[in-house]
């Protein structure tokens, strides 16, 4: 149990459906991420939220729409997806990277991942 | 995103042997280099990480070796065990103070340790 929970674990949807993936973290972190994991490819960063503010969108198609209502919850809304969007979608959370001059602490800015939502688009 | 190249893609090692996975990066601004371990059906979990001010870090059977001038780093698993069979990812990030840490991942190495 990593403290990051993703639902659903498996999702099958048609190209015209609308669905959402949910992520919840119980670690008190203030940054959350969506990654896409496809076979034989590096994990691809999709979105980053820092204190509920989206700070990065790595050229992700508009058919993926993130929502971060608070620092503990993250959603990925899906609509009119393509078969090539089939993949494992991973949510992660972290504290922000340590600031220069901060007193030493256990904060390494480490990412904690959920177990992922396996998406299949027919 | 700057690329992180990882090799080999797959690795088979006998129990008790040494597993070595290599990564190379391009962006000299990277200052945080973690290794993640992923078992089937699970998300990646941090195994060990290093900063470029040291050349080696050891935690139990796992060691990271870091060569700043060559822009390369590697993971060594000593006395490899069947339970170490998993996919290993190297990653790199520029740790901008007070910001979310954006990792660039390698493509992964599937390690199989034979009993």
């Amino acid at each position: 149990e990593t403290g990051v929970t993703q639902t659903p674990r498996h999702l099958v949807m048609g190209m015209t459906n609308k669905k959402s993936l949910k992520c919840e973290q119980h670690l008190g972190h203030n940054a959350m991420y969506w990654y896409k994991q496809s076979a034989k490819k590096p994990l691809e960063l999709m979105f980053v939220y820092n204190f509920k503010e989206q700070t990065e969108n790595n050229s992700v198609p508009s058919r993926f729409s993130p929502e971060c209502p608070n620092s503990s919850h993250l959603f990925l809304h899906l609509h009119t997806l393509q078969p090539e969007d089939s993949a494992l979608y991973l949510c992660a959370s972290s504290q922000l990277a340590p600031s220069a001059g901060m007193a030493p602490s256990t904060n390494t800015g480490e990412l904690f991942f959920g177990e992922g939502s396996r998406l299949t688009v027919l | 995103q700057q690329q992180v190249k990882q090799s080999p893609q797959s690795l088979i090692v006998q129990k008790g042997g040494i597993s070595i996975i290599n990564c190379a990066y391009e962006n000299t601004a990277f200052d945080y280099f973690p290794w993640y371990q992923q078992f089937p059906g699970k998300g990646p979990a941090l195994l060990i990480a290093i900063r470029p001010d040291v050349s080696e870090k050891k935690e139990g059977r796992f060691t990271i070796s870091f060569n700043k001038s060559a822009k390369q780093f590697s993971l060594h698993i000593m006395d490899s065990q069947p339970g170490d069979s998993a996919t290993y990812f190297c990653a790199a990030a520029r740790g901008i103070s007070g910001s979310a840490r954006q990792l660039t991942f390698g493509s992964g190495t599937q390690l199989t340790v034979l009993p």
Side-chain angles (χ1 to χ4, degrees), chain A residues 3-81:
Chain A
V4 179
T5 303
Q6 290 188 242
T7 55
R9 293 294 311 279
H10 300 274
L11 178 62
V12 180
M13 59 187 290
M15 293 169 60
T16 58
N17 291 159
K18 291 184 179 180
K19 297 286 185 182
S20 296
L21 306 181
K22 178 183 176 181
C23 177
E24 183 174 0
Q25 59 98 358
H26 308 276
L27 301 168
H29 290 163
N30 41 34
M32 296 189 77
Y33 313 73
W34 280 116
Y35 277 87
K36 177 183 179 181
Q37 186 173 28
S38 305
K40 303 285 194 276
K41 292 178 67 175
L43 277 74
E44 301 171 54
L45 178 63
M46 301 176 71
F47 300 103
V48 180
Y49 277 85
N50 179 347
F51 284 114
K52 302 187 298 176
E53 304 273 330
Q54 184 175 312
T55 59
E56 194 72 21
N57 172 349
N58 287 328
S59 304
V60 179
S62 60
R63 57 186 183 268
F64 295 92
S65 175
E67 178 188 1
C68 188
N70 55 62
S71 58
S72 298
H73 294 85
L74 184 65
F75 295 89
L76 187 62
H77 303 299
L78 316 169
H79 62 97
T80 60
L81 294 191

Side-chain angles (χ1 to χ4, degrees), chain A residues 33 37 40 96-97 108 115, chain B residues 9 38 41-42 98-99 101:
Chain A
Y33 313 73
Q37 186 173 28
K40 303 285 194 276
L96 301 179
T108 62
E115 295 188 336
Chain B
Q9 186 175 350
Q38 185 177 26
K42 301 291 186 181
S99 295
R101 197 184 286 286

Side-chain angles (χ1 to χ4, degrees), chain B residues 35-46:
Chain B
W35 284 89
Y36 279 78
Q37 180 188 56
Q38 185 177 26
F39 293 104
K42 301 291 186 181
L46 180 67

Side-chain angles (χ1 to χ4, degrees), chain B residues 4-26:
Chain B
V4 176
K5 295 181 180 179
Q6 183 173 347
S7 64
Q9 186 175 350
S10 63
L11 180 62
I12 299 175
V13 174
Q14 291 286 342
K15 178 181 175 181
I18 302 173
S19 304
I20 301 174
I21 306 171
N22 301 299
C23 282
Y25 63 96
E26 299 172 355

